[in-house]
Amino acid sequence: MRGLVYIGTSGWSYDDWRHDFYAGVARKDWLRFCARQFTSIEVNVTFYRLQDRRTFARWREETPPAFRFAIKANRYLTHVKHLADPANPVHQERERAEGLGEKLAVVLWQLPGNLRKNLGRLECFADALNDWSNTRHVLEFRHPSWFAADVAACLRAHRLAVCWSDAPDWPRWAAITTDLVYVRLHGHTQTYVSSYDPASLDAWAERIRGWLDARRQVHVYFDNTAHGAAPRDALRLLERMGMAATAG
């Protein structure tokens, strides 16, 4: 049996998309519209402010049964506390996000670019995530000191995945530490702006097929959100994977 792939954008509430991707769609229906185009979406607003459980529940109700969410964990634990004392922040994040129910597939924990490798804190954080084992977790490392064998070993032991970040502004660790592969496509030549050309999309589609053949679950989110590049690229990648949108 092959793995599963989820493809979408990082966020959906962008005014840049109003007159193109969302032409004729009321703002209140933007999430519903995305859920007919994509198979998943990465929620970015959760990184900047904690969302109420009822908000998550509303998103769950507005999307089809097979649709899935990845959420970007709040920056308090990663960017303020630098992973120190993770138990309470993880618990708070979980209690709210569980409003998504079974539609919550992945939680992304992005570390700041100035945070260097600290294996002790990583191990403590990984232990705290054991209390949220019904959801998969991914770490996006922004400092290359983390790209190390002992870090990979810790992630493997806890079934935590590495985020593959494609952007010119920070390095990419192309490591696979579990059966989950998580890719963020920020724009290969200009972060948040540049589109992916056909050859690049073909290459990513080929990688995805290989991961699926290896029975991995794959999540791919386009974060090149400026000027509507992300939804266009997501739809093109879905087409290459034989996963056409269910509605126009």
Side-chain angles (χ1 to χ4, degrees):
M1 183 177 179
R2 297 185 86 206
L4 297 172
V5 60
Y6 297 95
I7 297 171
T9 58
S10 183
W12 69 87
S13 187
Y14 297 99
D15 283 336
D16 273 1
W17 304 0
R18 177 188 294 275
H19 300 296
D20 183 5
F21 182 63
Y22 288 133
V25 180
R27 179 182 284 271
K28 66 181 178 62
D29 295 323
W30 284 2
L31 176 57
R32 290 187 180 91
F33 181 79
C34 280
R36 295 197 303 269
Q37 310 301 311
F38 313 131
T39 55
S40 182
I41 208 158
E42 180 187 81
V43 184
N44 227 336
V45 69
T46 47
F47 177 72
Y48 299 100
R49 61 182 182 273
L50 288 169
Q51 301 298 304
D52 189 274
R53 186 184 178 106
R54 291 170 296 183
T55 299
F56 286 118
R58 186 178 74 249
W59 295 343
R60 184 189 71 228
E61 293 165 1
E62 289 180 357
T63 52
F67 193 79
R68 292 295 178 265
F69 289 89
I71 67 167
K72 193 173 175 183
N74 189 263
R75 57 186 172 181
Y76 174 66
L77 178 56
T78 54
H79 287 59
V80 177
K81 294 178 68 66
H82 287 180
L83 297 183
D85 306 315
N88 286 337
V90 168
H91 176 76
Q92 185 178 33
E93 193 88 44
R94 184 189 72 220
E95 286 223 313
R96 292 167 182 259
E98 283 181 346
L100 286 170
E102 75 287 349
K103 291 186 180 180
L104 175 59
V106 181
V107 180
L108 169 71
W109 303 84
Q110 182 193 98
L111 303 189
N114 62 353
L115 181 59
R116 293 175 176 268
K117 174 185 164 184
N118 186 321
L119 188 61
R121 288 196 179 184
L122 178 64
E123 290 174 339
C124 185
F125 171 64
D127 286 338
L129 291 180
N130 289 335
D131 291 332
W132 198 356
S133 58
N134 61 328
T135 297
R136 303 302 302 272
H137 298 273
V138 177
L139 281 86
E140 185 175 20
F141 299 103
R142 291 284 176 90
H143 195 282
S145 61
W146 294 95
F147 302 178
D150 52 359
V151 172
C154 176
L155 299 179
R156 280 194 297 271
H158 292 272
R159 293 187 71 231
L160 303 177
V162 172
C163 177
W164 289 40
S165 297
D166 184 62
D169 297 333
W170 47 80
R172 182 170 83 199
W173 190 19
I176 296 178
T177 54
T178 186
D179 59 337
L180 171 66
V181 180
Y182 195 98
V183 179
R184 303 188 82 209
L185 300 175
H186 303 280
H188 187 71
T189 56
Q190 189 175 359
T191 305
Y192 308 129
V193 176
S194 59
S195 298
Y196 285 84
D197 61 31
S200 296
L201 293 174
D202 288 343
W204 281 110
E206 188 62 25
R207 290 188 188 99
I208 293 167
R209 292 187 192 100
W211 292 327
L212 294 178
D213 288 343
R215 300 184 179 182
R216 302 185 190 278
Q217 182 181 138
V218 183
H219 286 253
V220 181
Y221 299 104
F222 286 87
D223 192 31
N224 52 340
T225 53
H227 312 305
R232 290 194 299 269
D233 286 348
L235 291 173
R236 289 164 182 160
L237 184 59
L238 282 162
E239 183 178 7
R240 283 164 169 78
M241 298 305 301
M243 302 164 64
T246 59

